């Protein structure tokens, strides 16, 4: 069965510092992987996706993630945090393009001025 | 191009009542999925509709049912509401049949409060 774990329910970084949000998945087949962001009282916005092409995926707002099959990881990074990055981040996995998406529990990112 | 829209935005119901939530998919999308997001948790998959039929279902009781119309819009119905049904209900649309299309686009959600 698919599952997603996100290490750290809350992460705090200083403005301008590196952002690293961790995600590990389990899947019986090569998966599709996603990172979504959710701002307070809003829906989910797709940051980036991995669909078996390049292992380093670039997304919106300067975020990127690297798919590492040997580690079953898909960590999200951003070189320099901005105040506007403060939000809830969800890692998600699906087995096929039409399959249900399984979400991790989320990581709340705080950015300290 | 309008994205995924949901109505109503907020809803307050009493235990035992029934509720219907509505979703219009993004233009060009034919598949609608529904998720329940409890406070402080990740979204949980309820079910998915394609060609007016339920294609997949998560671990939710039969009190949760849905429908998809010919124009691809969808409804989520919940009967015999429980306090634990209080959550943000998210609708997502996609078009898996379109080559290279994998992601789901989410609406803003409907906040349901059961008292």
């Amino acid at each position: 069965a698919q599952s997603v774990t996100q290490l750290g329910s809350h992460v705090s970084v200083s403005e301008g510092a590196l952002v690293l949000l961790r995600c590990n998945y389990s899947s019986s087949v090569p998966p599709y992987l996603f990172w979504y962001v959710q701002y307070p009282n809003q829906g989910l916005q797709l940051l980036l996706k991995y669909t078996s092409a390049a292992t380093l995926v670039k997304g919106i707002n300067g975020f990127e993630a690297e798919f590492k099959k040997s580690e079953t990881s898909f960590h999200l990074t951003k070189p320099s945090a901005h105040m506007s990055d403060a939000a809830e981040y969800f890692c998600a996995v699906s087995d096929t393009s039409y399959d249900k998406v399984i979400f991790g529990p989320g990581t709340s990112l705080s950015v300290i001025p | 191009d309008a994205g995924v829209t949901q109505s109503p935005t907020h809803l307050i119901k009493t235990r035992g009542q029934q509720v219907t939530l509505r979703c219009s998919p993004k233009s060009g999308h034919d598949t609608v999925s529904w998720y329940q997001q409890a406070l402080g948790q990740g979204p949980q998959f309820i079910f998915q509709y394609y060609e007016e039929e339920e294609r997949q279902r998560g671990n939710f009781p039969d009190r949760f049912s849905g429908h998809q119309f010919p124009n691809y819009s969808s409804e989520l119905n919940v009967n015999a509401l429980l306090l634990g049904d209080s959550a943000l209900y998210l609708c997502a649309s996609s078009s898996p049949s379109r080559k290279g299309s994998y992601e789901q686009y989410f609406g803003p959600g409907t906040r349901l409060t059961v008292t």
Side-chain angles (χ1 to χ4, degrees):
Chain A
Q2 297 167 306
S3 66
V4 178
T5 57
Q6 294 183 239
L7 184 61
S9 59
H10 188 88
V11 171
S12 292
V13 299
S14 298
E15 190 174 16
L18 172 71
V19 176
L20 171 60
L21 304 183
R22 300 179 186 275
C23 171
N24 289 87
Y25 69 92
S26 67
S27 177
S28 57
V29 298
Y32 298 135
L33 294 161
F34 310 89
W35 275 99
Y36 284 88
V37 62
Q38 186 176 37
Y39 297 99
N41 300 314
Q42 294 188 26
L44 300 171
Q45 180 183 11
L46 180 70
L47 280 176
L48 48 80
K49 62 184 178 185
Y50 167 77
T51 56
S52 74
T55 56
L56 182 61
V57 181
K58 294 186 182 299
I60 62 172
N61 301 338
F63 285 94
E64 63 181 37
E66 185 173 8
F67 172 67
K68 292 187 177 180
K69 183 178 179 180
S70 61
E71 299 177 6
T72 60
S73 68
F74 191 57
H75 302 330
L76 181 71
T77 61
K78 181 175 181 178
S80 177
H82 191 272
M83 295 298 293
S84 60
D85 294 329
E88 190 82 18
Y89 290 81
F90 294 97
C91 182
V93 63
S94 68
D95 278 346
T96 67
S97 64
Y98 58 81
D99 206 358
K100 60 182 180 291
V101 177
I102 305 299
F103 285 86
T107 296
S108 177
L109 176 66
S110 298
V111 181
I112 305 167
Chain B
D1 175 28
V4 180
T5 60
Q6 293 186 242
S7 63
T9 305
H10 295 87
L11 205 51
I12 299 175
K13 290 288 189 178
T14 304
R15 277 178 298 176
Q17 286 188 317
Q18 179 265 343
V19 68
T20 297
L21 310 181
R22 296 177 175 82
C23 172
S24 292
K26 182 179 170 63
S27 177
H29 286 184
D30 55 13
T31 300
V32 173
S33 302
W34 286 92
Y35 295 81
Q36 180 195 66
Q37 186 179 19
L39 198 61
Q41 298 182 22
Q44 300 291 315
F45 175 77
I46 302 175
F47 44 53
Q48 182 183 85
Y49 276 84
Y50 173 69
E51 293 188 340
E52 301 180 48
E53 291 192 359
E54 183 182 292
R55 179 159 65 181
Q56 297 187 74
R57 189 178 183 90
N59 295 323
F60 279 81
D62 292 344
R63 297 187 297 109
F64 289 77
S65 63
H67 188 76
Q68 185 179 35
F69 299 94
N71 67 353
Y72 307 122
S73 67
S74 177
E75 289 182 348
L76 164 66
N77 301 292
V78 186
N79 295 321
L81 285 167
L82 304 174
L83 294 179
D85 295 331
S86 296
L88 180 68
Y89 288 84
L90 295 165
C91 169
S93 74
S94 56
S95 184
S97 58
R98 184 184 302 174
K99 184 179 173 60
S101 175
Y102 304 99
E103 66 268 29
Q104 298 187 358
Y105 290 81
F106 283 81
T110 293
R111 173 74 62 186
L112 173 64
T113 302
V114 182
T115 62

